[in-house]
Amino acid sequence: MSVLFTVLVTFFAGMGAGLGTGFAGMSAAAVISPMLITFLHMDPYMAVGIALSSDVLASAVSAYTYHKNKNLDVKNGLIMMASVLVFTVAGSWVASKVPAATMGNFSVFMTFLLGIKFILRPVMTTKEAMQGVSAQKRAVQSVICGVIIGFICGFIGAGGGMMMLLILTSVLGYELKTAVGTSVFIMTFTALTGAMSHFMIGGTPDWMVWGLCVVFTLLWARIAAVFANKATPKTLNRATGVVLVVLGLVIMTFNLLT
């Protein structure tokens, strides 16, 4: 397989993952894994490890950009992250006892539907409305939602960022920019945990593919995050919706090819 072909595959994988991360706080694993498996015939376990490690820097840079623009809820993000990490482990354990091969397709279909939702019914909550909720109530909500997100992530094995965005906007009533900022903040740590465990269990990755995926995902996540923080709520909803719909369609197509 030529080096040029590898560069092209990783460029488009990184572009899709970076745009998904910067705009919607989506996990890079949802995009990079199927592309590496389909086009580079990579071992699925290693592909997920590379995707998760690409997610770490991309999410961290996106989270920094959102934080700089005051679109990140660190306190509740930390509370939610703790319950997400604990219940991801619990979800993984339950999934190991249940035949759940078809569950991955569920998260891809949900990504597509969520994209349509942002286009047709944009999230127009303001920061003022968000701040009307008491700190104690928000903390309790964060724990409960973290439990739900973590369990679904562990059980399905994907879709964490997508689930977080849906719950932060629909259940917790977050304004869209703050929802994405908080989502990428949490994803930085969940992706780091996942990547480390994958490489410890599965061994070292193909370093060229790993390096290209990390660089391209980081580049596009930075571009998307800068654009998202400057965009009006209506524009951001549409851009996020389009990115999610396109990614959903592309990944569903890849799944049909494999």
Side-chain angles (χ1 to χ4, degrees):
M1 207 167 287
S2 73
V3 172
L4 178 62
F5 183 70
T6 302
V7 171
L8 280 172
V9 170
T10 52
F11 176 79
F12 286 109
M15 180 198 277
L19 291 175
T21 301
F23 274 123
M26 229 180 112
S27 169
V31 183
I32 292 178
S33 306
M35 287 196 71
L36 295 184
I37 294 162
T38 306
F39 295 110
L40 300 184
H41 309 297
M42 188 172 280
D43 170 65
Y45 195 81
M46 193 51 69
V48 172
I50 289 174
L52 286 168
S53 55
S54 303
D55 217 355
V56 178
L57 272 181
S59 293
V61 166
S62 299
Y64 172 74
T65 307
Y66 279 92
H67 180 61
K68 204 167 69 175
N69 288 277
K70 297 183 170 58
N71 291 318
L72 171 55
D73 184 355
V74 176
K75 185 185 156 192
N76 290 301
L78 286 168
I79 293 169
M80 193 179 291
M81 180 171 67
S83 50
V84 166
L85 289 172
V86 170
F87 277 85
T88 297
V89 175
S92 296
W93 181 80
V94 173
S96 70
K97 309 289 178 190
V98 178
T102 56
M103 292 299 283
N105 295 325
F106 168 76
S107 69
V108 177
F109 188 58
M110 280 297 290
T111 300
F112 175 73
L113 291 182
L114 189 58
I116 291 174
K117 185 245 179 214
F118 280 121
I119 295 169
L120 300 180
R121 291 191 62 192
V123 176
M124 301 304 281
T125 309
T126 61
K127 281 192 177 174
E128 291 72 31
M130 256 184 70
Q131 286 155 3
V133 179
S134 73
Q136 190 180 6
K137 185 183 177 186
R138 181 70 81 205
V140 171
Q141 287 176 328
S142 297
V143 171
I144 294 167
C145 290
V147 168
I148 296 164
I149 295 163
F151 190 82
I152 290 170
C153 290
F155 193 72
I156 297 173
M162 178 269 298
M163 281 303 305
M164 231 173 301
L165 187 63
L166 178 64
I167 285 175
L168 286 170
T169 53
S170 303
V171 180
L172 297 185
Y174 271 56
E175 172 259 345
L176 185 57
K177 288 182 187 178
T178 311
V180 176
T182 307
S183 178
V184 287
F185 173 68
I186 296 169
M187 290 304 291
T188 304
F189 298 96
T190 54
L192 179 62
T193 308
M196 284 169 67
S197 63
H198 266 72
F199 292 148
M200 281 164 69
I201 295 164
T204 54
D206 179 321
W207 290 115
M208 187 179 92
V209 174
W210 178 84
L212 288 168
C213 284
V214 169
V215 170
F216 290 139
T217 307
L218 178 63
L219 172 70
W220 285 101
R222 172 72 179 151
I223 291 168
V226 169
F227 173 82
N229 279 280
K230 290 180 178 171
T232 62
K234 197 170 185 181
T235 304
L236 181 57
N237 271 277
R238 281 187 181 152
T240 304
V242 168
V243 167
L244 289 174
V245 167
V246 171
L247 289 178
L249 285 172
V250 169
I251 299 161
M252 280 191 267
T253 305
F254 287 154
N255 287 344
L256 290 172
L257 289 173
T258 53

